[in-house]
């Protein structure tokens, strides 16, 4: 009878509006949940049942059978999400690069008076002082002390760069572990989502979790990913899959010549990671630090060679040929020679013996500070250039980080525009669904009254 | 475009954080007076500051060298002055000796000449406190010593060079051998000052006028040599003083450059600080107004 079907139709209205209200409640409850994607109840009208069920109107037209919630849609924008992911990789890359470069900056520019340029100045001015007063033993002590300070400064800088490299190796190990764990979790979620979808349920919350994990993977290693409509996803890194459906492939750390190398666990091939935090760590360890180490070594080598060549021409004591001033030719190994450290009178200021007032050799050694010993640069200019370089590198890392972060924020705002919860909107929806519920309830009571009338007046 | 609530809160919070960040940097700039604290604050400026510091260190060293040289040259100058006075005295004695005198007077004059000779030797062995100035490179031993009955020069021919600036060498010392013609260093055909004095002393005692006259002319040659040396020393002292002036000027210029490079321009920094403070207040105001309004507060 059409009255009962009217009640059925109204009932479906009540149920649908109630479901929609529950979805609104879910959205409101999760307004501040990070990674939550707003959900929407998709209402569709139920098509008319077959005429055998007994619904007819005078003109043979069929009336629909009410409303139903066909699905609870998760609002997302795949396109913007993918742009976000690559921006995340870049932001992770530049943030990590900036912080590591800042550490190196502190190493190479320790503070006024302690940097290499000042140490070089003190060294050569000590020689100049000795040259004008070679008879004074305290001035020889001064030269020795300045030489030791300079060598120590070079040693310390080289050692700190080595330590930075070693720390990066440690960081890489912990990040690889994290990445593997994330890959496992994503593969697991893929399996759960597939099961849910195949039995016709929605898996919105699982998908939210998966999206958050994939974002973290993007920041870590700049992965690229693809999610399919059946709910599965692929996560790629350097062209090879990290997660493929329900399979997760692991990376591992292999100790090599240049420090820890990241390879695929199953075949040991090296992983191409060029973005994200891990990409940044690899770049700093393999390109940036060796670059500065090489410059410092070049400085130490030029210094030692030039000073020694001149110093060996000198005479000390009662007619002995002077030895080397510095031993070692790298920044890490350069030292004032043992003989001189034990006895400052082994420092030669003259090429001839028995002439206490002759500081000619010392003058020549002091003049080395003005000679182009490294390409076209003097030793000081080379040390100053290193400082300028690291300053520029940090500054440009900062700029890149800010630019990429600005882009990421733009994408995030766009993505949130689609998937974020707006309380105003949800409040309006509450009103709408509540009214609709009231109206459907009214339909039920009116249909009931009509039924009542029918029963009273026909029985 | 919809801006959901959580996103709005994040964006405003982010703005607040950035403003605070800028404010903090400006505050440290103003309070420390230095706006380059790390190379990345201003890479070119940091490099320039290092260059300037290096230049200042070199200037300081040259100043120290110049001051030492000045003290040395003043020692030489005063010694040479004393020598000129002593030689004039001897000349007087010699002239007196040319007159007819008694034997006692002659002997007395001769003794005085001997005394002056001793004084001259002492003056020639002047040191500037730690080093003998007239001995070339042999600065640790007195250049004139009594050996086998005569005075010998035990120094060497070393010429000391001091650097008054980059590539600005100057010869410092006056050589004792050339000064007194020891061993014929200045003029092989005549004798050294002390031999001349010995000859003069003998001649005065014996009243040998010819010898006295020729000795006086030798003495004049020695005096001229010493006067010339004193003139050279005077010129060197001038050079050193000029160098010191130049170095002081360089120092001033470089210090000013250094302040301009890495020092904070207080006026503009404070203006910017005030502006940033206003911005922060404005952003805070906006943030505080976020929580009001919205449909929720209008519904029953």
């Amino acid at each position: 009878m059409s009255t009962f079907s009217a009640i059925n139709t109204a009932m479906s209205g009540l149920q649908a509006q109630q479901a929609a209200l529950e979805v609104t409640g879910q959205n409101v409850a999760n307004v501040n949940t990070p990674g939550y994607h707003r959900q929407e109840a998709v209402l569709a009208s139920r098509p008319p049942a077959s005429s055998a069920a007994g619904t007819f109107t005078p003109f043979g037209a069929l009336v629909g059978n009410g409303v139903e919630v066909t699905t609870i849609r998760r609002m997302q924008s795949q396109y913007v999400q993918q742009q976000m992911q690559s921006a995340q990789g870049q932001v992770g890359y530049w943030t990590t690069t900036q912080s590591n470069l800042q550490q190196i900056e502190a190493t190479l520019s320790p503070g006024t008076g302690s940097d290499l340029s000042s140490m070089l100045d003190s060294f050569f001015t000590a020689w100049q002082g000795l040259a004008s007063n070679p008879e004074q033993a305290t001035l020889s002590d001064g030269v020795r002390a300045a030489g030791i300070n300079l060598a120590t400064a070079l040693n310390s800088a080289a050692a700190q760069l080595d330590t930075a490299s070693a720390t990066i190796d440690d960081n890489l190990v912990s990040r690889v572990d994290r990445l593997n764990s994330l890959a496992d979790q994503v593969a697991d979620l893929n399996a759960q989502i597939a099961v849910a979808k195949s039995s016709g349920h929605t898996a919105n919350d699982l998908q939210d979790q998966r999206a958050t994990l994939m974002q973290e993977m993007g920041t870590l290693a700049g992965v690229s990913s693809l999610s399919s409509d059946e709910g599965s996803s692929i996560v790629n890194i350097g062209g090879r899959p990290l997660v493929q459906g329900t399979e997760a492939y692991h990376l591992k750390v292999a100790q090599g010549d240049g420090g820890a190398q990241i390879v695929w666990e199953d075949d040991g091939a090296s992983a191409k990671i060029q973005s994200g935090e891990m990409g940044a760590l690899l770049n700093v360890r393999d390109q940036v630090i060796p670059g500065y180490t090489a410059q410092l070594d070049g400085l130490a080598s030029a210094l030692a060679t030039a000073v020694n060549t001149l110093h060996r021409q000198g005479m000390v004591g009662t007619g002995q040929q002077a030895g080397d001033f510095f031993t070692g030719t790298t920044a890490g190994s350069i030292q004032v020679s043992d003989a001189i450290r034990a006895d400052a009178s082994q420092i030669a200021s003259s090429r001839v013996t028995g002439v206490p007032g002759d500081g000619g050799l010392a003058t020549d050694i002091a003049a080395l500070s003005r000679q182009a010993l490294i390409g076209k640069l003097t030793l000081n200019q080379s040390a100053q250039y290193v400082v300028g370089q690291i300053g520029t590198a940090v500054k440009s890392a900062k700029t890149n980080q800010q630019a990429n972060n600005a882009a990421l924020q733009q994408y995030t705002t766009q993505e949130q525009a689609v998937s974020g919860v707006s309380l105003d909107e949800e409040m309006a929806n509450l009103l709408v669904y509540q009214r609709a519920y009231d109206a459907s309830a009214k339909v039920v009571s009116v249909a009931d009254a009509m039924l009542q009338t029918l029963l009273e007046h026909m029985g | 475009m919809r801006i959901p609530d959580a996103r709005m809160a994040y964006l405003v919070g982010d703005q607040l954080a950035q403003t605070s960040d800028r404010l903090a940097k400006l505050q440290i700039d103003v309070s420390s007076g230095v706006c380059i604290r790390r190379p990345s604050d201003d890479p070119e400026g940091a490099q320039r500051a290092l260059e300037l510091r290096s230049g200042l260190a070199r200037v300081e060293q040259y100043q120290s060298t110049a001051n030492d040289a000045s003290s040395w040259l003043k020692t030489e100058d005063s010694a040479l002055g004393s020598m000129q006075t002593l030689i004039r005295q001897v000349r007087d004695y010699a002239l007196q000796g040319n007159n007819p005198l008694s034997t006692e007077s002659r002997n007395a004059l001769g003794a005085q000449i001997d005394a002056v000779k001793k004084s001259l030797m002492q003056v020639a062995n002047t040191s500037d406190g730690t080093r003998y100035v007239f001995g070339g490179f042999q600065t640790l031993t007195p250049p004139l010593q009594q050996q086998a009955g005569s005075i010998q020069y035990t120094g060497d021919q070393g010429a000391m060079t001091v650097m008054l600036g980059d590539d600005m060498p100057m010869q410092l010392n006056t050589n004792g051998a050339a000064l007194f013609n020891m061993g014929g260093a200045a003029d092989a055909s005549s004798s050294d000052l002390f031999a001349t004095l010995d000859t003069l002393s003998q001649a005065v005692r014996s009243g040998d006028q010819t010898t006295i006259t020729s000795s006086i002319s030798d003495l004049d040659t020695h005096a001229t040599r010493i006067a010339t040396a004193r003139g050279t020393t005077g010129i060197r002292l001038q050079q050193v003083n000029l160098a010191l002036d130049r170095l002081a000027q360089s120092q001033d210029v470089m210090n000013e450059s250094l302040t301009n490079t890495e020092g904070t321009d207080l006026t503009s920094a404070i203006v910017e600080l005030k502006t940033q403070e206003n911005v922060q207040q404005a952003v805070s105001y906006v943030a505080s107004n976020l929580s009001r309004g919205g449909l929720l507060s209008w519904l029953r």
Side-chain angles (χ1 to χ4, degrees):
Chain A
M1 299 266 279
S2 65
T3 320
F4 283 121
S5 53
I7 293 184
N8 275 337
T9 305
M11 275 307 299
S12 76
L14 287 175
Q15 283 167 345
Q17 302 309 326
Q18 193 165 9
L21 212 67
E22 278 171 21
V23 173
T24 304
Q26 166 78 339
N27 282 343
V28 166
N30 282 297
V31 67
N32 284 329
T33 309
Y36 178 77
H37 286 64
R38 160 172 87 96
Q39 293 171 15
E40 211 174 69
V42 178
L43 302 172
S45 74
R46 279 210 287 237
S50 58
S51 52
T55 305
F56 67 92
T57 63
F59 302 103
L62 294 171
V63 176
N65 226 355
V67 68
E68 64 181 349
V69 175
T70 48
T71 182
I72 300 182
R73 184 168 57 189
R74 176 173 170 268
M75 306 301 287
Q76 64 164 9
S77 163
Q78 274 272 50
Y79 173 66
V80 177
Q81 264 182 345
Q82 285 189 328
Q83 288 188 309
M84 265 175 72
Q85 203 157 51
S86 81
Q88 258 149 2
Q90 288 297 91
V91 168
Y93 182 87
W94 287 111
T95 309
T96 307
T97 300
Q98 185 192 346
S99 75
N100 276 287
L101 286 181
Q102 274 174 333
Q103 282 180 26
I104 296 177
E105 179 188 45
T107 302
L108 295 175
S109 173
T112 313
S114 323
D115 58 285
L116 283 176
S117 179
S118 307
M119 294 288 158
L120 283 166
D121 287 335
S122 303
F123 181 65
F124 287 114
T125 52
W127 277 105
Q128 186 65 50
L130 182 64
S132 10
N133 222 331
E135 309 89 341
Q136 245 191 307
T138 51
L139 292 179
S140 293
D141 289 343
V143 168
R144 175 177 58 182
I148 291 177
N149 285 343
L150 177 57
T152 308
L154 281 165
N155 295 154
S156 158
Q160 285 182 30
L161 287 175
D162 282 343
T163 309
S165 250
T167 311
I168 287 179
D169 281 354
D170 291 339
N171 279 338
L172 279 173
V173 168
S174 69
R175 277 179 171 75
V176 162
D177 287 343
R178 178 72 187 143
L179 195 62
N180 285 340
S181 154
L182 288 171
D184 287 338
Q185 288 178 50
V186 169
D188 198 43
L189 282 170
N190 279 343
Q192 291 180 38
I193 293 173
V195 163
K197 290 261 164 135
S198 64
S199 32
H201 301 309
T202 57
N204 292 336
D205 306 297
L206 293 173
Q207 283 179 311
D208 281 351
Q209 272 183 44
R210 186 179 62 181
T212 309
L213 292 176
M214 281 172 27
Q215 271 188 30
E216 197 184 329
M217 288 167 94
T219 310
L220 265 183
V223 303
S224 66
S225 65
L226 215 51
S227 296
S228 74
D229 285 337
E230 294 89 49
S232 175
S233 68
I234 298 181
V235 177
N236 280 340
I237 191 170
R240 275 179 65 159
L242 199 57
V243 175
Q244 197 165 26
T246 54
E247 287 291 320
Y249 302 97
H250 283 182
L251 295 170
K252 74 168 189 215
V253 171
Q255 292 300 332
D257 282 336
Q261 300 297 324
I262 303 189
V263 299
W264 291 99
E265 208 170 66
D266 29 8
D267 63 359
S270 75
K272 290 203 274 287
I273 303 181
Q274 286 162 335
S275 174
E277 293 176 2
M278 285 160 76
L281 289 174
L282 287 169
N283 181 52
V284 168
R285 186 195 66 190
D286 297 336
Q287 307 289 332
V288 172
I289 290 182
Y292 288 114
T293 307
Q295 286 195 28
L296 289 178
D297 283 345
L299 187 68
S301 165
L303 170 71
T305 310
V307 171
N308 285 344
T309 306
L310 280 176
H311 194 256
R312 280 197 290 263
Q313 296 172 8
M315 296 286 243
V316 292
T318 52
Q320 291 90 37
Q321 196 75 38
D324 283 342
F325 188 90
F326 286 118
T327 52
T329 50
T330 65
S333 65
I334 189 170
Q335 296 274 327
V336 173
S337 74
D338 289 339
I340 290 179
R341 271 197 290 181
D343 180 8
S345 68
Q346 292 298 310
I347 296 178
S349 54
S350 159
R351 288 184 175 82
V352 187
T353 198
V355 280
D358 177 23
L361 184 62
T363 308
D364 289 345
I365 293 183
L368 284 175
S369 72
R370 298 194 302 279
Q371 290 174 18
L373 296 174
I374 304 182
K376 292 205 192 115
L377 301 177
T378 65
L379 291 172
N380 269 76
Q381 283 170 340
S382 178
Q384 288 156 8
Y385 178 63
V386 166
V387 169
Q389 260 188 315
I390 185 68
T392 309
V394 170
K395 199 170 177 197
S396 99
K398 225 192 220 177
T399 311
N400 277 319
Q401 196 270 355
Q402 283 170 347
N404 279 298
N405 195 37
L408 178 62
Q409 293 309 320
Q410 271 284 70
Y411 293 137
T412 309
T413 305
Q414 278 180 357
E415 208 268 336
Q416 285 286 298
V418 171
S419 68
V421 173
S422 159
L423 283 179
D424 286 352
E425 191 181 45
E426 302 304 323
M427 290 303 115
N429 283 343
L430 268 183
L431 284 176
V432 163
Y433 295 138
Q434 186 191 17
R435 283 278 174 268
Y437 186 90
D438 287 348
S440 283
K442 188 76 176 164
V443 169
V444 169
S445 80
V446 166
D448 180 53
M450 286 168 58
L451 205 55
Q452 192 102 350
T453 311
L454 200 60
L455 289 172
E456 274 178 10
H457 294 279
M458 284 188 136
Chain B
M1 186 161 75
R2 305 172 60 238
I3 306 274
D5 298 63
R7 188 65 188 156
M8 189 66 181
Y10 171 82
L11 287 173
V12 170
D14 194 43
Q15 278 304 315
L16 213 48
Q18 282 184 32
T19 316
S20 298
D21 201 37
R22 279 196 285 265
L23 206 54
K25 179 176 192 299
L26 283 168
Q27 280 168 341
I28 302 181
D29 280 353
V30 168
S31 62
S32 70
V34 173
C35 67
I36 300 183
R37 289 182 291 279
R38 288 167 304 196
S40 52
D41 291 337
D42 178 0
E44 293 89 15
Q47 209 174 327
R48 178 107 189 94
L50 283 177
E51 275 174 33
L52 288 168
R53 289 214 150 79
S54 192
L56 281 168
R58 283 211 307 282
V59 160
E60 256 182 62
Q61 180 56 47
Y62 286 131
Q63 281 174 328
S64 165
T65 306
N67 283 326
D68 283 347
S70 172
S71 137
W72 173 287
L73 289 168
K74 284 181 185 155
T75 306
E76 274 194 2
D77 181 67
S78 136
L80 290 168
S82 302
M83 284 181 209
Q84 285 178 316
T85 311
L86 287 167
I87 290 182
R88 271 200 291 277
Q89 272 183 6
V90 170
R91 205 172 186 279
D92 283 341
Y93 297 149
L95 285 173
Q96 283 179 33
N98 244 347
N99 301 331
L101 290 171
S102 66
T103 318
E104 286 144 16
S105 312
R106 290 199 173 283
N107 283 339
L109 268 178
Q112 277 179 321
I113 292 177
D114 290 339
V116 167
K117 179 182 145 193
K118 272 208 181 65
S119 298
L120 268 171
M121 184 169 128
Q122 277 176 352
V123 171
N125 285 339
T126 312
S127 76
D128 77 341
T130 49
R131 298 182 286 172
Y132 294 102
V133 299
F134 291 117
F137 283 146
Q138 298 304 324
T139 50
L140 300 176
T141 48
L144 291 179
Q145 293 181 17
Q146 184 84 30
Q147 286 172 0
S150 65
I151 295 183
Q152 300 292 327
Y153 177 71
T154 54
D156 63 27
Q157 303 298 320
M160 289 184 187
T161 321
V162 288
M163 302 301 283
L164 297 175
D166 294 345
D167 303 314
M168 284 189 183
M170 181 190 81
Q171 172 151 0
L172 181 66
N173 62 329
T174 304
N175 190 275
L179 191 61
F180 307 122
N181 195 26
M182 308 301 290
D187 179 3
S189 59
S190 49
S191 53
D192 63 69
L193 176 63
F194 303 95
T196 307
L197 288 173
D198 280 340
T199 312
L200 190 58
S201 173
Q202 292 291 338
V204 161
R205 283 173 212 262
S206 62
D208 178 352
Q209 283 196 339
T210 329
T211 313
I212 292 178
T213 315
S214 71
S215 290
I216 290 180
S217 104
D218 280 345
L219 211 55
D220 286 342
T221 315
H222 285 298
T224 313
R225 212 173 279 130
I226 291 177
T228 312
R230 196 172 181 206
T232 309
T233 305
I235 291 174
R236 287 180 186 152
L237 202 49
Q238 248 188 357
Q239 259 186 294
V240 168
N241 286 336
L242 282 173
L244 282 168
D245 283 342
R246 180 181 41 83
L247 288 167
Q249 265 186 2
S250 283
Q251 209 176 28
D252 287 340
V253 167
M254 281 196 267
N255 270 326
E256 200 184 316
S257 273
L258 195 57
T259 314
N260 286 341
T261 304
E262 59 176 24
T264 314
D265 176 4
L266 273 181
T267 323
S268 61
I270 291 180
V271 166
E272 222 182 301
L273 186 63
K274 282 292 153 201
T275 313
Q276 257 333 104
E277 281 176 4
N278 287 339
V279 168
Q280 193 189 36
Q281 279 187 8
V283 175
S284 305
Y285 177 74
V286 166
S288 70
N289 275 326
L290 265 185
S291 50
R292 299 187 204 125
L295 191 51
L296 189 51
S297 48
W298 290 102
L299 296 176
R300 319 173 249 106

